């Protein structure tokens, strides 16, 4: 409740005083739903990594694509939390209240969801890191053991290994950095509970590991490596 109250109050205050003809600033307040600064920094990174352009377009029924181009983020660390400011320019200014309400609601919903799913999220992050480490070592047995039963029905182990061999030279002796953790209930036409863990590897590659719980155990359902 502290998080929601603080967020709503600061949004209302800044909305009243910060509008101008060329730029509007929306201050989302100090975001601190978790006990430590590190956790709150990661949470803000996670939330900003969602596909807000698509979701806002649908939720706000936007027909002008330039509205989305006029939204920029700024973050600032405090002792325990993160101050987040949205800078609106161009046609986004005329949608200030709608954008303000959208982000307020989204952060509140995700704060509750990430708390409720904290253990699964941590487990998914660790399992994704283990999967990447196994890929780095060409340990296909470990990778195969983490793959979901449904994925194994779609390919043999030999086909699985062949699909990951092109990544072998890319993922070698590099440093991986956690970028974002997303919780989704739908990916394309597939519905369910998904944990999407994104790592930056050797500052050259984006590695995305998608995990899905099956009978209280997390399995890797897909992994993609792309150049930055």
């Amino acid at each position: 409740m502290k998080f929601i109250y603080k967020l709503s109050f600061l949004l209302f205050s800044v909305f009243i005083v910060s509008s101008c003809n060329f730029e509007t600033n929306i201050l989302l307040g100090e975001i601190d739903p978790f006990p430590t600064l590190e956790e709150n920094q990661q949470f803000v990174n996670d939330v900003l990594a969602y596909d807000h352009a698509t979701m806002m377009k649908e939720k706000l029924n936007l027909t002008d694509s330039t509205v989305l181009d006029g939204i920029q983020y700024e973050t600032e660390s405090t002792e325990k939390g993160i101050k987040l400011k949205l800078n609106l320019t161009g046609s986004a200014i005329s949608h200030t209240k709608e954008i303000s309400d959208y982000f307020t609601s989204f952060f509140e919903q995700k704060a509750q969801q990430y708390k409720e799913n904290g253990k699964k999220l941590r487990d998914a992050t660790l399992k994704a890191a283990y999967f990447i480490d196994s890929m780095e070592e060409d340990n296909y047995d470990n990778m195969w053991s983490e793959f979901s039963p449904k994925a194994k029905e779609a390919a043999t182990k030999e086909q699985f290994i062949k699909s990951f061999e092109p990544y072998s030279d890319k993922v070698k002796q590099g440093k991986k950095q956690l970028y974002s953790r997303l919780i989704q209930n739908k990916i394309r036409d597939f519905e369910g509970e998904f944990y999407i863990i994104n790592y930056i590897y050797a500052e050259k590659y984006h590695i995305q590991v998608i995990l899905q719980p099956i009978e209280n155990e997390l399995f890797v359902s897909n992994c993609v490596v792309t150049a930055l």
Side-chain angles (χ1 to χ4, degrees), residues 23-66:
E23 180 176 297
T24 293
N25 300 319
I26 302 174
L27 183 62
L28 294 189
E30 185 174 339
I31 301 173
D32 59 353
F34 297 99
T36 68
L37 175 60
E38 182 179 8
E39 289 176 292
N40 290 317
Q41 285 175 326
Q42 185 60 59
F43 173 68
V44 171
N45 289 344
D46 296 338
V47 174
L48 293 181
Y50 282 86
D51 184 7
H52 294 290
T54 298
M55 290 188 289
M56 277 194 289
K57 188 174 181 180
E58 294 174 354
K59 190 174 182 64
L60 305 183
N61 195 26
L62 297 177
T63 56
D64 182 359
S65 61
T66 63

Side-chain angles (χ1 to χ4, degrees), residues 1-39:
M1 291 300 294
K2 175 186 177 184
F3 167 69
I4 295 174
Y5 171 81
K6 185 188 301 183
L7 193 62
S8 301
F9 174 76
L10 286 174
L11 270 171
F12 177 79
S13 300
V14 176
F15 176 72
I16 294 296
V17 302
S18 66
S19 296
C20 66
N21 292 330
F22 304 103
E23 180 176 297
T24 293
N25 300 319
I26 302 174
L27 183 62
L28 294 189
E30 185 174 339
I31 301 173
D32 59 353
F34 297 99
T36 68
L37 175 60
E38 182 179 8
E39 289 176 292

Side-chain angles (χ1 to χ4, degrees), residues 159-197:
Q159 290 171 326
F160 168 84
I161 293 172
K162 189 174 181 180
S163 69
F164 279 97
E165 282 178 343
Y167 302 149
S168 179
D169 292 335
K170 298 177 181 178
V171 184
K172 292 292 183 188
Q173 305 302 318
K175 182 180 179 182
K176 65 180 180 297
Q177 180 181 355
L178 178 62
Y179 178 66
S180 64
R181 312 160 305 163
L182 311 182
I183 304 175
Q184 299 277 33
N185 56 18
K186 185 177 182 180
I187 297 179
R188 296 185 293 277
D189 296 328
F190 301 97
E191 295 187 357
E193 185 180 358
F194 297 95
Y195 294 83
I196 304 173
I197 311 300

Side-chain angles (χ1 to χ4, degrees), residues 186-220:
K186 185 177 182 180
I187 297 179
R188 296 185 293 277
D189 296 328
F190 301 97
E191 295 187 357
E193 185 180 358
F194 297 95
Y195 294 83
I196 304 173
I197 311 300
N198 295 291
Y199 275 93
I200 302 301
Y201 189 89
E203 299 183 350
K204 294 181 180 180
Y205 299 100
H206 169 208
I207 304 181
Q208 182 178 86
V209 184
I210 301 176
L211 302 101
Q212 187 174 20
I214 301 175
E215 296 181 355
N216 297 320
E217 187 173 353
L218 278 166
F219 290 95
V220 175

Side-chain angles (χ1 to χ4, degrees), residues 23-28 31 43-57 67-76 82-89 92 99-100 102-104 106-107 179:
E23 180 176 297
T24 293
N25 300 319
I26 302 174
L27 183 62
L28 294 189
I31 301 173
F43 173 68
V44 171
N45 289 344
D46 296 338
V47 174
L48 293 181
Y50 282 86
D51 184 7
H52 294 290
T54 298
M55 290 188 289
M56 277 194 289
K57 188 174 181 180
V67 171
L68 304 174
D69 296 332
I71 304 173
Q72 300 293 327
Y73 310 126
E74 283 186 31
T75 60
E76 178 186 347
I82 302 294
K83 289 183 179 179
L84 176 64
K85 183 170 71 173
L86 306 181
N87 299 322
L88 309 186
T89 58
I99 294 170
S100 169
Y102 165 82
F103 277 102
T104 302
F106 196 82
F107 266 94
Y179 178 66

